Amino acid sequence: MARGTTETRTETRLPSEEMQAAYDVAMRFPIEQVDEMRFTPAWLMEKAHEEAAFGKISIDADGLTPGTRLHVIEPARALLSRWHQTRRRFDVAIEPKMRGIQAVRDAEADTEAARSRAARDRQDAEDRLDADQGYIRVRNEFREAETRYQRLRTEHENRDANMMAYNPAYWLALLCIGVAEWLINYDVFFLFANVVAIAAGATIIMGVLLAFAAHGHGMLFKQWSYRFGEHRDVLDRRGDWRMLALSTFSLLIVLGAATGSRYAAVMHQIAGQPQVNILGSEASIAVDPMRDVLLSLLWNVMAWAVGVFIAYMAHDKDPDYMGATWQYQRAHRRYTSRRRPLVNRIRQIEARLAKEIERLEAAARTKAADTMAERDLLSQVDAHESALVNALAAVTGGNAQTYRANLAQLAASQRGGVTIERVGPNAGEISVADFRNEHLNITPDTIRRLS
C-alpha cells in the first residue's frame, strides 16, 4: 500500500518537473537562427537562373513559383519542423492539463462573446430608437438647446442662472401679494359699494393688477442693463418699454382706485354721522380724510414694493440666460422621457451581462486554480512560437520578393525566351509587369500552415 502511494506521488511530481524541463528546452530554441535564412542576392539570382532555364515560369494562387517554394519556402518549413520537434516534448508534458486550460480559455472566450452580444443588443436598441422620428425631433431640439445653454453658461463663467421666476413658489408669493391687497382694500370697496360681489370683484382685479405691476417692475429693474442697453435692437427695447409702461399703468390704476375708494368711503362715513351728538362734542369720532387716504395709499405702495422685491430677487440679470436654461431643462426632460425605455433596456442588458460574466468568471476561477502555473508556461511558449513565426514570415517574404524580382529581370532580359503563366482558375500567360506586381501571400498564417 505504501508502495502504491509512493508511485502515485512520483507520478504526480514527475510531470511538473518534466514540464519545466521541456519548457526550458523550448524557450532555448533560438529565434536568431531565422537570420541564417536571409539568403544573399547572388544566391537567389543563381536559383532564379536555374528556374528560368526551363523557359517557362508558373505561378500559383499565392503568387509563388515552384522555385520559390523549393528554395525559399522549403527552408522555412524545415526550420518550423525543427521548432515543432523541440516543442513536442512540452506539448506531451502539458497534455494532462490541457482540458483545464482549455476550459479556462473557453470561459474567457465566452466572456468576450457575452460582452459582444451585449454590445450588439445595446446597438440594436439604439438603432430602433433612432428610427423613431419623434425621438429624432426631440433629440435635435435638445442638442440645439444644450448648445445654446452651454455657450451662454461659458459666457457667464459657469454660474447657474437664477431660475426662481420659473418656480411655483414665486407665483405663490405673488398670489400672497394679491391676498394682502384683498385684506387692505376689501373693506373700503364694501363700504363704498355696499355690495359683496362688487367689492370682491374689484379687490381681485386690483390684486391681479398689483401683482402684475410688481412682477413687471421687479423684472425690469433687475434686467435693466440688458433690456435697455445700447447693444439691443430698437424694436426689442420698445417691447420692454411697453412692458414698463403697462406695469406702471397697472400700478397707477391700483393706487388711483384705492385712493379714490378710500376717500369716498371716508366721506361717506362723515356724511353718515349724526348732526347732533347727545354725548357732547368731546365724545364725537374724529375723521381725517387726508390721513386715511394717505395711509391707504402707503399700504398699497408697501404691498407693491414687497412684490417688486420678490420679483427682483427671483429673476436673473440676463433674461437670455434664463430663457436658455429653461429651454434646456424642458428639452432635457422631454429627451430623458423619450430615452427612458432605452435606458431601462440598457440597464437590463448590463445586469444580465454582469450576472453572466460573474457566473463565467466563477467557473473560470474554479478551473484555473489547478492550472495557473501551466497556463503561464503555455502562454510563454505560445508567445515564443509567435515571435519565431513572425520573424520567419518577414525573412521568407523578403527572400521571395528578391527571388521574384530576379525572375522578372531574367524574363525581361531574354525577350520572350521565358514565358510566365498563371495556373489554377485564372490560368493563362501574363506579362512581366503583371508578374512583378503579383501579390505574394506570405503571412504568419502562411508559415503556420507549412507544418
Side-chain angles (χ1 to χ4, degrees):
M1 187 69 180
R3 180 181 175 184
T5 306
T6 304
E7 290 178 354
T8 303
R9 289 179 179 176
T10 302
E11 291 174 358
T12 304
R13 185 175 64 254
L14 284 178
S16 177
E17 295 177 357
E18 182 180 354
M19 187 182 304
Q20 185 65 45
Y23 164 79
D24 294 336
V25 171
M27 295 301 291
R28 283 197 298 269
F29 189 89
I31 298 177
E32 294 76 12
Q33 63 181 308
V34 173
D35 294 334
E36 299 175 2
M37 297 179 52
R38 201 180 302 275
F39 304 130
T40 64
W43 186 86
L44 291 172
M45 176 60 79
E46 179 184 350
K47 299 304 177 183
H49 271 288
E50 294 177 2
E51 184 171 7
F54 291 98
K56 184 174 72 173
I57 300 173
S58 301
I59 60 173
D60 58 19
D62 292 328
L64 303 177
T65 68
T68 306
R69 291 190 176 276
L70 176 63
H71 302 303
V72 177
I73 301 299
E74 193 59 35
R77 185 197 306 275
L79 178 59
L80 194 61
S81 297
R82 290 199 300 273
W83 158 251
H84 287 153
Q85 185 67 29
T86 303
R87 177 176 173 159
R88 184 169 293 111
R89 180 183 172 188
F90 175 79
D91 292 336
V92 171
I94 203 173
E95 180 61 29
K97 295 288 186 178
M98 282 305 298
R99 177 172 296 183
I101 294 174
Q102 189 60 44
V104 175
R105 290 179 173 178
D106 291 343
E108 293 173 350
D110 291 341
T111 299
E112 291 302 319
R115 289 194 174 96
S116 299
R117 287 195 303 271
R120 288 195 301 269
D121 291 342
R122 285 192 294 266
Q123 189 59 48
D124 290 342
E126 288 277 4
D127 293 341
R128 285 195 296 271
L129 187 60
D130 288 339
D132 185 356
Q133 295 299 320
Y135 167 74
I136 294 175
R137 176 180 54 80
V138 170
R139 183 189 61 187
N140 293 338
E141 291 175 355
F142 167 70
R143 289 176 177 175
E144 293 175 0
E146 184 181 29
T147 300
R148 181 188 175 208
Y149 167 72
Q150 292 296 342
R151 176 178 59 81
L152 289 175
R153 184 176 177 83
T154 301
E155 293 176 0
H156 288 81
E157 300 178 350
N158 290 328
R159 71 172 180 85
D160 294 330
N162 184 354
M163 301 297 293
M164 277 301 299
Y166 291 98
N167 194 304
Y170 170 69
W171 301 104
L172 181 62
L174 291 183
L175 178 63
C176 292
I177 300 300
V179 173
E181 185 69 10
W182 176 285
L183 297 176
I184 293 172
N185 294 311
Y186 175 77
D187 62 329
V188 176
F189 287 115
F190 182 73
L191 289 174
F192 176 76
N194 205 25
V195 178
V196 174
I198 295 177
T203 306
I204 291 173
I205 292 174
M206 288 185 62
V208 172
L209 290 175
L210 187 66
F212 170 76
H215 166 75
H217 286 138
M219 177 185 67
L220 294 174
F221 291 164
K222 184 64 173 286
Q223 300 170 351
W224 188 276
S225 298
Y226 178 89
R227 291 185 177 275
F228 300 103
E230 294 295 332
H231 65 282
R232 298 193 71 203
D233 294 336
V234 175
L235 293 178
D236 294 334
R237 281 183 286 168
R238 284 178 181 174
D240 293 326
W241 280 115
R242 286 192 291 269
M243 181 65 179
L244 178 62
L246 189 59
S247 299
T248 304
F249 177 70
S250 299
L251 176 63
L252 293 177
I253 290 178
V254 171
L255 296 180
T259 302
S261 299
R262 176 65 69 177
Y263 180 78
V266 171
M267 297 306 296
H268 182 71
Q269 286 180 333
I270 294 175
Q273 289 185 357
Q275 298 297 325
V276 179
N277 190 348
I278 61 175
L279 299 177
S281 59
E282 294 180 356
S284 62
I285 300 175
V287 179
D288 187 349
M290 185 58 66
R291 179 199 63 191
D292 291 351
V293 169
L294 289 177
L295 285 175
S296 177
L297 180 63
L298 180 60
W299 293 334
N300 284 275
V301 171
M302 289 170 59
W304 167 81
V306 171
V308 170
F309 174 77
I310 293 173
Y312 185 90
M313 297 303 296
H315 283 80
D316 192 87
K317 61 182 179 181
D318 187 347
D320 278 355
Y321 191 26
M322 286 185 69
T325 303
W326 174 247
Q327 182 184 15
Y328 166 73
Q329 292 175 347
R330 186 173 54 183
H332 184 267
R333 287 194 296 269
R334 291 201 299 266
Y335 177 70
T336 303
S337 177
R338 283 278 188 168
R339 283 187 64 85
R340 187 171 293 114
L342 173 64
V343 172
N344 294 337
R345 173 61 177 160
I346 290 177
R347 286 176 180 171
Q348 183 184 39
I349 292 172
E350 291 178 347
R352 290 178 178 176
L353 174 63
K355 186 175 181 180
E356 185 173 2
I357 289 178
E358 182 181 0
R359 177 181 61 81
L360 292 172
E361 288 180 346
R365 284 193 300 270
T366 302
K367 297 171 182 177
D370 297 331
T371 60
M372 184 175 298
E374 289 80 4
R375 284 190 299 113
D376 182 60
L377 296 179
L378 179 60
S379 64
Q380 294 184 53
V381 172
D382 288 341
H384 192 74
E385 179 176 314
S386 295
L388 176 66
V389 170
N390 291 335
L392 197 56
V395 171
T396 304
N399 291 336
Q401 289 282 2
T402 304
Y403 184 81
R404 186 178 62 181
N406 292 336
L407 285 176
Q409 180 182 351
L410 292 173
S413 64
Q414 296 185 20
R415 298 181 180 179
V418 178
T419 60
I420 306 173
E421 296 181 358
R422 191 193 309 275
V423 297
N426 298 321
E429 186 175 342
I430 64 173
S431 65
V432 175
D434 291 339
F435 173 64
R436 186 180 287 111
N437 296 327
E438 188 75 15
H439 174 67
L440 280 176
N441 187 22
I442 299 179
T443 64
D445 290 337
T446 306
I447 298 300
R448 290 183 186 277
R449 290 196 298 267
L450 295 178
S451 57

